[in-house]
Amino acid sequence: FSFEVHHKFSDHVRQWWPKKGSVDYYATLVHHDQVLRGRNLLTFLDGNMTLRIDSLGYLHYATVEIGTPGVKFLVALDTGSNLFWVPCMCESCSTGIELGVYSPSLSPTSKSVACNATLCQRQCSGTDECPYKVDYISTGTSSSGVLIEDLLHLSTEDELFNASVVFGCGQVQTGSLVSGAAPNGLFGLGMEKISVPSILARDGLIANSFSMCFSHDGIGRINFGDKGSTDQESTPINMGALYNISITEIQVGAKLEQEHFALFDSGSSFTCLVDPVYTIVVETFNSQVHDPLNSSYTFEYCYSFSGGNSSFIPDISITMKGGGKFPVMAPIIWISTPLKDTYCLAVVKSSDFNIIGQNFMTGHRIVFDREKLVLGWKTFDCYDTE
């Protein structure tokens, strides 16, 4: 079987539009433009699709293009940090994988960020290049280099344009950044002034908000300027540089009243909880599962799948400050081998922060409304064009 694919503005498709040149024809075009301008959504040049790559840390990645001529990078999307950086004139960032490397000298639109620039936050002097260093939660994981200003290639549904952004020219990467988590760069989406969403909003290109959607099949979406819908649930974002919210209750089959802070962090593959919340959640989950416990994997609670009526996976839901219910659509991860199928409760014990990771975000469109300081969510099919 085969079929033709046509762009909606192609002559082939426009034959079903009102007659070209007529009042109705131009009214249709104007209406279409008004709808797009009204939403004011931006995506990367290659579109809004994100992709979960299990071999690279089980995180979601997107293709971004920067510089002149444009160079493409496959970057991890991280709401748990602020700086966008890519490998650049590397001294220590080899991964053995053939991926893009940025070179300021090859891009005529590239500019150095001086020490006296507003976005430079490191100790240096005058017009020297502004250095940066970002340390991540994972032990020994960091990126360092200098700040650069260049063009990020973006698009609406039917228009291409460039935005001038500041990002890190990453010369030295260490830890998990080299071993797998972000071998070709990391796109920080936090609330500080240096993050790309902050720069786009500052320049009036988008509403100060964006959304991310992660589907069960590993395909996702990111839309800059998206403020969500009127029927979404929401909770206040606590003041700070990251998306810190308050949890008032966790349900694992039965109600567990707890009140704690948690970070919504797309840069964490799996949800992390501190004690006593971790112990209460995993032990309550375990008490309701009838499949045999299998402790030979990374997660503490894994089970050999026996099938039939004996298999029962308890529902988990989180109640946020304000009363909004957040149903967890994907609390488990499946591990298949030739001999048996195993599933694990994909929750990790943390020593410092509660983190809602990508696995718990699956099945929702998450809206990071930085203007109203609200985090919104709605059960969502990431293929929906709402």
Side-chain angles (χ1 to χ4, degrees):
F1 295 94
S2 66
F3 55 89
E4 295 180 340
V5 178
H6 298 276
H7 193 277
K8 64 184 173 183
F9 296 126
S10 68
D11 290 337
H12 183 86
V13 174
R14 283 191 179 184
Q15 65 181 301
W16 290 291
W17 284 37
K19 184 179 179 181
K20 191 170 185 177
S22 69
V23 172
D24 287 343
Y25 175 84
Y26 290 111
T28 300
L29 279 177
V30 168
H31 174 70
H32 178 268
D33 285 347
Q34 286 174 338
V35 169
L36 285 177
R37 301 298 174 269
R39 295 184 71 199
N40 195 27
L41 301 186
L42 288 180
T43 66
F44 300 121
L45 180 64
D46 281 5
N48 67 349
M49 188 178 80
T50 68
L51 184 66
R52 187 184 68 217
I53 303 177
D54 297 359
S55 61
L56 295 180
Y58 212 81
L59 299 175
H60 270 256
Y61 293 78
T63 301
V64 302
E65 186 170 323
I66 54 176
T68 307
V71 180
K72 293 186 178 182
F73 298 86
L74 187 67
V75 295
L77 300 172
D78 184 17
T79 59
S81 66
N82 292 282
L83 185 67
F84 166 35
W85 62 263
V86 296
C88 169
M89 302 185 298
C90 293
E91 296 174 13
S92 177
C93 52
S94 174
T95 63
I97 305 172
E98 289 295 327
L99 295 169
V101 175
Y102 177 80
S103 177
S105 63
L106 298 180
S107 175
T109 51
S110 172
K111 303 174 188 175
S112 294
V113 175
C115 290
N116 56 13
T118 304
L119 293 179
C120 183
Q121 299 178 337
R122 299 283 291 184
Q123 290 293 327
C124 59
S125 60
T127 58
D128 292 343
E129 287 185 317
C130 176
Y132 83 87
K133 183 177 182 184
V134 181
D135 293 305
Y136 297 95
I137 294 175
S138 300
T139 304
T141 298
S142 67
S143 173
S144 60
V146 295
L147 294 184
I148 295 289
E149 183 176 351
D150 208 339
L151 299 179
L152 173 65
H153 302 276
L154 299 166
S155 72
T156 63
E157 191 174 85
D158 60 349
E159 180 183 5
L160 308 179
F161 69 96
N162 303 321
S164 183
V165 300
V166 172
F167 59 94
C169 170
Q171 298 167 338
V172 180
Q173 272 66 256
T174 63
S176 63
L177 298 178
V178 177
S179 61
N184 204 212
L186 186 143
F187 202 88
L189 292 159
M191 289 196 287
E192 288 189 358
K193 292 180 179 179
I194 201 166
S195 76
V196 171
S198 297
I199 294 172
L200 297 178
R202 179 201 69 190
D203 293 344
L205 297 173
I206 60 168
N208 195 8
S209 183
F210 69 93
S211 69
M212 302 178 78
C213 184
F214 303 132
S215 66
H216 295 274
D217 63 2
I219 304 297
R221 299 282 183 260
I222 181 168
N223 286 305
F224 297 106
D226 187 6
K227 297 179 72 69
S229 55
T230 56
D231 59 344
Q232 69 185 10
E233 299 280 2
S234 64
T235 191
I237 295 173
N238 301 315
M239 291 298 292
L242 301 174
Y243 305 103
N244 185 326
I245 55 87
S246 297
I247 294 173
T248 59
E249 182 182 294
I250 299 178
Q251 286 187 308
V252 188
K255 182 186 294 187
L256 306 171
E257 292 187 1
Q258 299 288 329
E259 183 167 357
H260 291 277
F261 297 121
L263 300 177
F264 261 72
D265 181 14
S266 67
S268 295
S269 304
F270 304 107
T271 293
C272 305
L273 299 174
V274 298
D275 266 334
V277 179
Y278 171 81
T279 298
I280 294 172
V281 168
V282 297
E283 289 185 355
T284 305
F285 182 93
N286 181 62
S287 68
Q288 299 176 57
V289 176
H290 305 299
D291 290 316
L293 193 63
N294 183 341
S295 58
S296 59
Y297 294 92
T298 302
F299 299 101
E300 187 174 1
Y301 286 93
C302 295
Y303 308 88
S304 297
F305 179 65
S306 58
N309 295 326
S310 63
S311 296
F312 170 74
I313 299 171
D315 291 331
I316 299 179
S317 67
I318 302 170
T319 303
M320 309 293 185
K321 184 177 181 179
K325 295 273 188 186
F326 186 94
V328 177
M329 314 295 285
I332 65 168
I333 183 172
W334 285 92
I335 301 171
S336 295
T337 67
L339 298 178
K340 60 185 175 183
D341 287 334
T342 300
Y343 64 92
C344 302
L345 176 60
V347 176
V348 180
K349 182 186 285 188
S350 171
S351 59
D352 37 30
F353 303 111
N354 290 313
I355 296 174
I356 306 300
Q358 277 192 17
N359 66 317
F360 273 28
M361 297 186 205
T362 298
H364 298 278
R365 177 174 64 182
I366 312 294
V367 177
F368 300 86
D369 191 331
R370 302 130 55 83
E371 181 179 336
K372 294 181 178 179
L373 286 180
V374 163
L375 184 133
W377 66 90
K378 178 181 175 181
T379 303
F380 202 69
D381 176 1
C382 299
Y383 292 92
D384 200 321
T385 57
E386 179 188 69

